[in-house]
Amino acid sequence: MEEPKITPELIREHGLSNEEWQRMLDILGREPTFTELGVISSMWSEHCSYKSSRIHLKKFPTEGPQVLQGPGENAGIVDIGDNLAICFKMESHNHPSYIEPYQGAATGVGGILRDVFTMGARPIANLNSLRFGEPDHPKTPYLLQGVVAGIAGYGNCIGVPTVGGETTFDPSYNGNILVNAFTLGLVRHDRIFRGFASGPGNPVIYVGAKTGRDGIHGATMASEEFSDETEAKRPTVQVGDPFMEKLLLEACMELFEKDCLVGIQDMGAVGLTSSALEMAERAGTGMVLDLDKIPVREENMTAYELMLSESQERMLLVAKRGQEKQVYDIFRKWDLEAHEVGRVTDDGRFVLLYKGEKVGDMPVNAISDQAPMYDRPQSRPGWQDEVQQLDEESLPEPADLGKTLLDMLASPNLSLDKWVWRQYDHMVHTNTARRPGGDAAVVRVKGTRKGIGLTVDCNPRYCYLDPRAGAYLAVAEAARNLSCSGALPLAITDCLNFGNPEKPEIMWQFAQAVEGMAEACQDFGTPVISGNVSFYNETDGKAIYPTPAVAMAGLVEDMGHVVGSHFEHDGDHVLLLGSTKGHIGGSEYLSFVHGKVAGLPPKIDTDCEKRLQRFLRQAAKDRLLSSAHDISDGGLAIALAECCLKPEGPGLGLVVKHEVRARRSDFFFFGEGTSRAIVSSSPESIDALMTLAGRLGIETAHMGRVGGDRLAFEPHFNLALSDMYQAWSSTVPKIAGD
Amino acid sequence: MRCGIVTFPGSNCDHDCLHVAQSVMGWDARLIWHKEKKLPPLDLVILPGGFSYGDYLRCGAIARFASILPAVQKFAAKGGLVLGICNGFQILTEAGMLPGKLMRNRSLRFICEYVNLKVEHADSPFTSRFQGGETIQIPIAHMEGNYFADTDTLKRLEDEGRVLFRYCAPDGEINAAANPNGSQRNIAGISNESKNVLGMMPHPERCSESILGGEHGRRLFESIQSWVEERV
Amino acid sequence: MKARVFVTLKTGVLDPQGQAVMHAAASLGYEEVKGVRQGKYFEIELDSVENAEERMKKLSDQLLANPIIEDFRVEVED
Amino acid sequence: MKARVFVTLKTGVLDPQGQAVMHAAASLGYEEVKGVRQGKYFEIELDSVENAEERMKKLSDQLLANPIIEDFRVEVED
Ligand SMILES: Nc1ncnc2c1ncn2[C@@H]1O[C@H](COP(=O)(O)OP(=O)(O)O)[C@@H](O)[C@H]1O
Ligand SMILES: [Mg+2]
């Protein structure tokens, strides 16, 4: 098959700048072949090369005694003792999910699962962070239904519990929803695998699904006019096959127990190209691929298509020469394909053979060493000062705070999202000790006393008003959520969702957020071990709110210490921890009730926050707590309501005996300060708890005793829990159109 | 107590059942690969939950042709205990070991949550540690749990006391509001004529330890154990 | 050769998917829609064999349809 | 009136269900089966309307098929 001529249009369609093109010529010492053009330009795309973000990501703290693998691999790894480690990463699938919500979200889950199990880890928990447009937007119900069904369809089928996440709605996502999927796996220290193509002569083996023309992207559509294909439109939407991935997962798990594997990597973005090149690059080797050996699903595929296809459920592995049979035996047992498609070489070249021709011969190292990296211009948006202004006095004070509380409970972002997670199998594996609906999910680690706490957080409004502070607060809140459940924060992964980085304002937001996140990770001792950047979340020139989602994992030393967030026992004492200042800037209340996104996010006193978190963990360990819930979106009143209401129905009430200490009662109830929590404690434990609070310098206020079927804070409100539950639980199903 | 748990391609709850059998119940338990043709000596065979063959075509439709199934059928015919949970129940119906069919949930959505179940009969090998008429809580997690059978079959199931579990309200009332998936007569679990084969949509293995927030499921495994022990 | 197999639910068997489609159609303004039954449709590529139709009927009976709830129809063409 | 709508995956789009059916057929001894694509099939009861076919096409495009990955075909009969 004749490959097309390299023309200036073709170069442009591959997204290369003049300088990048020149660099490509220098590396090769000649013009690239069509296939080489596809391979190198996709490795240099924003998605693969992180060319706009790399320079900033270097600011993240990535090390610590607990870190076994930081960024740079398919997923990061953290030690949890007992020769065990957890492996996790989060990744975005925003654009595909907007185009085809079910398949986009499903393949997002499939992709992140592979990133984790390719490291040798068995996935034990999934999370996801979802941002949709405003509830009334005509596409929102369709997108919400499709995305949730897609996540459920994939995760449930492969049998990994989806134990938590967040679902929010805001007009800023009308044209660009966010679907960020997280997977955490468990691995023994001596069973960690990495993407290394070491040992010249070793066979390169392709396993899993056949290759089709799935997901061959925009620029590459140029190839259409050169192919023999007659059909009008070539499908680019990838369809997930969770059953195939389940088989792949089990086969790989069996393989990891054998001593025949050198390296392994999933085929994610840009499929075979990136997995092969990255494996050779890490090992400092070369590779020859015989593309005729690739199992295909469609006819007449070109070398270009084989290299760039993003067909799902495929992995590339390098085995020890002589031990291949073990690989083939295991894959045959699982009725899967496995084919030797190439071998490792020592000359540092990436050589592609197809139909008797050499269609590519590129230097491995140069492609990554010479990958473009930009320090793109930044500038603080002109409107930033303006949105930070807030005239609090001009806000009308609601006449009936009880009604306001009910309204807030029914608001899209505060209401119960059980409609979402009821569709996720969150109990398979029989490890989920804290199910969705609380601050953090907790899964136990069978065979030990330990458990893993998990949470994903970000307040995009805060990040819009002040990206640096917002990103900092996301990390702080994640750590607080884990501490409430009794888990010690260990490390984070992140998904940095932003607009177009070529715009200085967006780049400024990005750089600010990275700095804030880096600082917080330093302060809270939670290094960044993996992550993902998603740029170009813009429609008609309007970008989403900067949304640096943070997923954090923590360690529970003893599952007996785990604390839930709802009131548990009649008669327990309820304490408010931390001070309530009535900060209203950037709050859900300001946005939902007053229709304003303005002001500054709340300030944080890091020392005070860390003390609170230490207190929560110590109290959990000493078994002094019946429940603990952090105060975040919606403020004190919403947090109290969430302590009383359980996902399955009204729980235990509380009659608060406490005074409002703020200029305005609405600010007191709905303001969003940091470093606060509500805890409950039995009459037997309360003294010890107070002593501990005194010792750690935690401000406490006694709010009353758990009991009854109302939440009352006289004279401001007095509501029946059943009415509150009704308000809280009806909204999301309505948005979805059920 | 010897228990075998069949692993089909796509089984997800095989290890969960193994965990309960071994670590909670202390049984001699093992996994059995679907390509086997013979069963070792056993007292109980579990067909676990999951998505055998991706649940493609129809749930259980492809798994019913597994090499191991004739052996399971023979085991059941000789009176051996067979427990099909969720996908296992679906496989049992597709294989004709239990009547009826599990259709798509009425809501067309996957549902994962704790439900209330009424134990209709405590005289089966699977329910002796419950009280007849008792209300218990066990989670469900399925997309196809909507039990369907023709009227004659339903009548026979009822007359023969083979409906062992029904979805109910917290107070035990059987009504439409308590029916999560549209099952006829709120049916959640049925047995074969000789009561040694049980298919149920709820997952007892998910609530057999206090740390998971529920322990009613363990009583089902305890019932099985005492039934088997009484017979040796 | 090519076979087409249509699998439909038996009358009397509840069809939640068809019902959902009907309601959605009504709410989109297709008031003429009085009933919807959703079934499956298989396109099968065949090597030329004798009694292809008979074999495809057997396959449908064994695998593609569940006789408790479904009927099927087979078309074979060269 | 009655409409029949056939929804099939576009060529090139992966069909995991069809593949599973094909493997199952092969293991049951139907070696002549070389490929299976699984689609949906709707039987729709209609009140008599003008331009029924056109309306059913629109309905299929809007609701019954996902035009990003699926094609459809409509047959209307009186
Ligand atoms: N925001 C980030 N923070 C930390 N690490 C990141 C971030 N973005 C990307 N990385 C790391 O860069 C590497 C490449 O990421 P990616 O291209 O998403 O991997 P993959 O191709 O496996 O999906 C990974 O090791 C990833 O963890
Ligand atoms: Mg990867």
Side-chain angles (χ1 to χ4, degrees):
Chain A
M1 207 176 304
E2 188 85 357
E3 287 203 330
K5 287 238 152 30
I6 308 294
T7 61
E9 291 82 71
L10 199 59
I11 295 164
R12 193 164 26 81
E13 279 160 13
H14 280 75
L16 292 172
S17 68
N18 289 340
E19 193 218 323
E20 288 166 358
W21 168 246
Q22 195 53 52
R23 195 178 294 192
M24 193 181 291
L25 294 177
D26 292 347
I27 288 174
L28 295 170
R30 56 175 165 78
E31 279 214 345
T33 65
F34 180 55
T35 303
E36 287 171 336
L37 175 66
V39 165
I40 300 177
S41 66
S42 58
M43 287 308 287
W44 289 358
S45 68
E46 186 65 59
H47 190 98
C48 284
S49 72
Y50 289 85
K51 57 189 168 193
S52 306
S53 58
R54 234 157 62 225
I55 200 164
H56 299 280
L57 299 181
K58 287 181 183 154
K59 295 175 195 152
F60 284 149
T62 59
E63 285 169 8
Q66 73 274 41
V67 177
L68 300 181
Q69 174 69 57
E73 262 290 346
N74 290 292
I77 302 183
V78 176
D79 185 19
I80 59 163
D82 292 331
N83 193 34
L84 290 171
I86 50 176
C87 170
F88 58 91
K89 185 174 185 234
M90 182 155 58
E91 195 154 84
S92 63
H93 231 213
N94 303 337
H95 191 63
S97 303
Y98 186 78
I99 302 291
E100 211 308 288
Y102 185 98
Q103 295 298 343
T107 51
V109 173
I112 192 63
L113 281 162
R114 282 194 300 283
D115 269 336
V116 167
F117 75 72
T118 194
M119 303 294 295
R122 175 176 283 280
I124 60 166
N126 285 339
L127 303 176
N128 54 81
S129 169
L130 310 179
R131 315 274 172 194
F132 297 98
E134 58 198 322
D136 296 336
H137 190 277
K139 285 198 96 167
T140 297
Y142 157 78
L143 291 168
L144 173 62
Q145 287 192 24
V147 165
V148 171
I151 291 172
Y154 208 102
N156 298 353
C157 182
I158 197 169
V160 175
T162 301
V163 297
E166 47 176 0
T167 310
T168 62
F169 304 88
D170 189 283
S172 113
Y173 305 103
N174 278 353
N176 297 84
I177 61 170
L178 301 185
V179 175
N180 294 176
F182 165 101
T183 294
L184 179 136
L186 190 65
V187 62
R188 293 208 318 267
H189 288 194
D190 54 333
R191 277 289 174 271
I192 294 172
F193 284 86
R194 293 184 171 87
F196 277 79
S198 312
N202 279 335
V204 176
I205 301 175
Y206 170 116
V207 300
K210 290 185 165 75
T211 298
R213 292 193 174 90
D214 314 87
I216 299 175
H217 279 303
T220 63
M221 291 304 262
S223 63
E224 204 161 275
E225 54 210 82
F226 308 112
S227 88
D228 299 332
E229 289 286 321
T230 47
E231 70 206 68
K233 258 197 201 128
R234 189 171 295 179
T236 57
V237 172
Q238 308 145 12
V239 168
D241 182 353
F243 172 57
M244 171 66 78
E245 181 138 313
K246 167 73 175 172
L247 301 181
L248 206 47
L249 164 67
E250 296 303 335
C252 286
M253 288 295 136
E254 254 185 74
L255 193 58
F256 296 144
E257 293 299 321
K258 301 274 190 293
D259 186 29
C260 57
L261 204 58
V262 172
I264 176 166
Q265 172 149 334
D266 66 299
M267 295 190 219
V270 227
L272 189 54
T273 289
S274 66
S275 53
L277 268 171
E278 285 174 17
M279 285 178 82
E281 189 228 323
R282 288 197 195 99
T285 55
M287 196 183 282
V288 180
L289 291 180
D290 186 353
L291 301 181
D292 297 289
K293 304 254 178 73
I294 307 277
V296 293
R297 204 176 76 224
E298 297 182 66
E299 286 170 10
N300 302 323
M301 290 190 68
T302 63
Y304 181 100
E305 290 169 330
L306 290 169
M307 290 308 296
L308 297 189
S309 161
E310 294 191 352
S311 292
Q312 302 287 299
E313 292 95 20
R314 304 178 301 162
M315 318 273 280
L316 198 64
L317 36 100
V318 173
K320 292 183 185 163
R321 180 61 80 190
Q323 310 280 315
E324 309 86 300
K325 188 167 171 304
Q326 294 191 56
V327 178
Y328 297 129
D329 285 348
I330 289 174
F331 280 81
R332 193 168 323 112
K333 172 185 167 190
W334 289 95
D335 299 320
L336 288 170
E337 303 214 25
H339 303 276
E340 180 169 334
V341 295
R343 68 192 151 77
V344 179
T345 59
D346 60 4
D347 59 4
R349 308 285 305 175
F350 187 48
V351 177
L352 306 174
L353 307 174
Y354 194 43
K355 298 198 196 286
E357 276 176 50
K358 193 191 264 191
V359 292
D361 186 349
M362 298 156 270
V364 171
N365 273 326
I367 294 176
S368 65
D369 292 347
Q370 306 281 317
M373 177 159 87
Y374 300 123
D375 187 359
R376 296 196 186 274
Q378 308 169 25
S379 77
R380 190 168 187 272
W383 45 261
Q384 198 73 43
D385 282 331
E386 198 183 313
V387 299
Q388 292 180 347
Q389 300 303 317
L390 174 62
D391 175 12
E392 297 185 355
E393 303 314 319
S394 71
L395 301 172
E397 198 163 348
D400 178 353
L401 284 180
K403 168 150 191 320
T404 307
L405 176 51
L406 286 178
D407 290 347
M408 293 270 290
L409 280 171
S411 70
N413 292 338
L414 298 176
S415 62
L416 177 63
D417 45 17
K418 179 172 156 188
W419 181 90
V420 173
W421 49 258
R422 191 169 96 126
Q423 296 183 56
Y424 303 150
D425 187 341
H426 48 269
M427 299 189 226
V428 63
H429 285 196
T430 61
N431 292 325
T432 314
R434 289 293 156 191
R435 299 195 289 268
D439 284 323
V442 180
V443 293
R444 74 161 158 193
V445 178
K446 282 191 184 119
T448 72
R449 305 187 63 83
K450 293 176 176 163
I452 307 298
L454 293 164
T455 179
V456 55
D457 294 286
C458 176
N459 185 324
R461 258 194 326 269
Y462 292 176
C463 297
Y464 166 71
L465 297 171
D466 181 344
R468 187 183 173 110
Y472 189 103
L473 291 172
V475 176
E477 183 182 343
R480 188 161 64 240
N481 278 330
L482 291 183
S483 300
C484 278
S485 65
L488 175 70
L490 288 178
I492 75 156
T493 182
D494 64 271
C495 234
L496 307 175
N497 307 277
F498 287 78
N500 178 353
E502 293 158 47
K503 294 185 181 167
E505 289 79 12
I506 301 291
M507 210 54 225
W508 177 83
Q509 291 178 328
F510 182 81
Q512 288 285 305
V514 167
E515 278 174 24
M517 190 178 282
E519 190 185 345
C521 287
Q522 200 76 57
D523 287 350
F524 290 92
T526 53
V528 180
I529 61 157
S530 60
N532 172 254
V533 178
S534 169
F535 281 131
Y536 299 101
N537 294 288
E538 287 204 20
T539 300
D540 299 332
K542 220 174 153 332
I544 58 164
Y545 282 166
T547 313
V550 172
M552 190 179 281
L555 179 65
V556 177
E557 278 293 343
D558 185 332
M559 284 300 285
H561 300 157
V562 173
V563 178
S565 48
H566 311 290
F567 292 149
E568 289 279 333
H569 309 293
D570 267 328
D572 276 356
H573 294 268
V574 178
L575 297 182
L576 166 63
L577 310 179
S579 73
T580 297
K581 302 197 177 83
H583 180 92
I584 213 73
S587 65
E588 189 66 42
Y589 170 71
L590 186 65
S591 159
F592 181 69
V593 174
H594 298 283
K596 280 189 168 44
V597 178
L600 283 168
K603 290 254 166 336
I604 182 165
D605 172 342
T606 301
D607 179 54
C608 169
E609 177 72 43
K610 286 171 77 172
R611 254 184 298 125
L612 174 78
Q613 294 184 13
R614 199 172 331 124
F615 168 80
L616 288 163
R617 295 193 300 266
Q618 187 62 47
K621 207 168 182 175
D622 297 345
R623 300 182 191 244
L624 302 176
L625 298 176
S626 301
S627 73
H629 181 35
D630 90 307
I631 301 179
S632 58
D633 305 7
L636 174 63
I638 292 293
L640 283 170
E642 288 166 347
C643 291
C644 298
L645 303 174
K646 296 186 169 179
E648 53 277 6
L652 299 172
L654 172 70
V655 176
V656 180
K657 305 225 167 54
H658 184 68
E659 265 162 36
V660 167
R661 297 195 202 103
R663 285 174 297 139
R664 271 172 61 165
S665 47
D666 57 338
F667 293 3
F668 176 80
F669 285 117
F670 302 117
E672 298 179 4
T674 53
S675 316
R676 292 186 299 163
I678 295 165
V679 297
S680 66
S681 177
S682 69
E684 296 75 50
S685 305
I686 186 69
D687 291 341
L689 188 69
M690 293 301 290
T691 309
L692 181 64
R695 192 146 55 78
L696 291 181
I698 306 295
E699 189 177 331
T700 61
H702 196 266
M703 305 289 279
R705 311 275 293 254
V706 173
D709 55 5
R710 305 183 75 79
L711 174 63
F713 201 126
E714 296 287 6
H716 307 283
F717 55 83
N718 185 340
L719 299 170
L721 296 189
S722 54
D723 294 337
M724 290 166 61
Y725 184 79
Q726 183 62 34
W728 187 50
S729 59
S730 317
T731 304
V732 178
K734 237 182 266 159
I735 295 173
D738 267 18
Chain B
M1 183 69 206
R2 298 157 304 173
C3 168
I5 299 148
V6 180
T7 301
F8 298 96
S11 290
N12 291 334
C13 306
D14 47 344
H15 285 271
D16 300 358
C17 291
L18 186 68
H19 167 74
V20 169
Q22 288 179 335
S23 307
V24 179
M25 300 303 298
W27 295 350
D28 167 12
R30 62 167 92 176
L31 297 176
I32 295 169
W33 184 236
H34 68 109
K35 288 181 185 169
E36 299 290 323
K37 294 202 170 69
K38 281 213 291 266
L39 288 173
L42 292 174
D43 303 303
L44 170 70
V45 171
I46 300 180
L47 305 189
F51 289 65
S52 58
Y53 295 92
D55 273 0
Y56 297 151
L57 187 58
R58 291 181 314 277
C59 306
I62 302 179
R64 86 166 170 102
F65 295 108
S67 315
I68 193 68
L69 253 235
V72 175
Q73 271 159 326
K74 217 156 80 197
F75 174 78
K78 286 198 191 138
L81 297 185
V82 176
L83 169 61
I85 302 169
C86 197
N87 194 229
F89 184 11
Q90 294 162 342
I91 295 170
L92 289 172
T93 59
E94 281 282 342
M97 293 175 69
L98 289 173
K101 171 72 193 154
L102 294 142
M103 316 266 299
R104 184 63 65 97
N105 293 346
R106 190 179 36 190
S107 63
L108 306 184
R109 301 204 192 289
F110 192 97
I111 303 171
C112 176
E113 68 184 0
Y114 265 88
V115 294
N116 292 295
L117 293 177
K118 186 163 180 185
V119 184
E120 293 284 8
H121 303 283
D123 57 359
S124 82
F126 303 94
T127 50
S128 62
R129 292 294 180 94
F130 298 102
Q131 306 285 317
E134 183 184 0
T135 301
I136 59 171
Q137 287 81 41
I138 296 188
I140 55 170
H142 60 247
M143 179 70 110
E144 272 95 4
N146 181 349
Y147 185 76
F148 171 85
D150 60 45
T151 329
D152 292 347
T153 307
L154 287 173
K155 180 162 186 314
R156 226 177 42 244
L157 286 174
E158 301 277 9
D159 291 351
E160 293 168 5
R162 290 161 56 189
V163 178
L164 296 192
F165 299 107
R166 266 187 244 269
Y167 303 108
C168 69
D171 64 1
E173 200 194 319
I174 310 292
N175 57 31
N179 187 340
N181 52 27
S183 291
Q184 282 176 319
R185 306 194 186 190
N186 286 39
I187 287 173
I190 57 168
S191 74
N192 64 344
E193 261 168 88
S194 38
K195 308 266 170 89
N196 62 317
V197 176
L198 167 66
M200 62 191 295
M201 290 314 294
H203 285 270
E205 80 281 11
R206 295 186 178 188
C207 54
S208 292
E209 299 162 87
S210 62
I211 199 171
L212 301 177
E215 297 181 89
H216 287 159
R218 196 174 61 231
R219 285 158 65 192
L220 186 130
F221 297 105
E222 287 165 355
S223 302
I224 296 171
Q225 178 168 345
S226 64
W227 191 88
V228 169
E229 280 169 359
E230 274 165 30
R231 251 139 275 256
V232 289
Chain C
M1 280 177 113
K2 212 170 163 170
R4 269 187 281 270
V5 180
F6 304 83
V7 176
T8 49
L9 284 171
K10 287 198 152 92
T11 19
V13 176
L14 186 77
D15 176 12
Q17 284 167 291
Q19 296 227 308
V21 169
M22 192 176 84
H23 290 137
S27 74
L28 287 171
Y30 296 86
E31 318 226 304
E32 69 269 34
V33 173
K34 289 301 155 208
V36 179
R37 304 283 286 171
Q38 180 169 342
K40 292 181 193 134
Y41 170 57
F42 300 88
E43 288 180 345
I44 305 178
E45 293 290 333
L46 289 178
D47 270 353
S48 202
V49 283
E50 273 176 67
N51 53 25
E53 180 159 343
E54 200 180 306
R55 285 179 64 84
M56 285 303 102
K57 279 189 177 154
K58 205 165 140 234
L59 175 67
S60 303
D61 187 52
Q62 263 188 294
L63 180 69
L64 303 182
N66 178 336
I68 299 175
I69 50 166
E70 293 165 329
D71 294 321
F72 63 86
R73 187 160 55 81
V74 174
E75 289 173 5
V76 175
E77 73 186 35
D78 285 307
Chain D
M1 281 177 110
K2 211 170 164 171
R4 268 187 283 270
V5 180
F6 306 83
V7 176
T8 49
L9 285 170
K10 290 198 151 106
T11 5
V13 173
L14 179 72
D15 178 10
Q17 302 222 57
Q19 297 232 304
V21 170
M22 189 176 86
H23 289 138
S27 73
L28 288 172
Y30 296 87
E31 316 223 306
E32 69 269 34
V33 174
K34 289 298 155 212
V36 178
R37 304 281 286 171
Q38 181 170 340
K40 290 180 202 139
Y41 170 57
F42 298 88
E43 287 180 346
I44 305 178
E45 294 290 334
L46 287 179
D47 271 351
S48 203
V49 283
E50 273 175 64
N51 54 27
E53 180 159 344
E54 200 179 307
R55 286 179 63 83
M56 285 303 104
K57 278 190 178 156
K58 208 165 139 232
L59 175 68
S60 304
D61 188 52
Q62 270 185 290
L63 185 68
L64 305 182
N66 176 348
I68 297 167
I69 51 173
E70 292 169 328
D71 293 323
F72 62 86
R73 187 159 56 82
V74 174
E75 288 172 7
V76 175
E77 72 186 35
D78 284 308

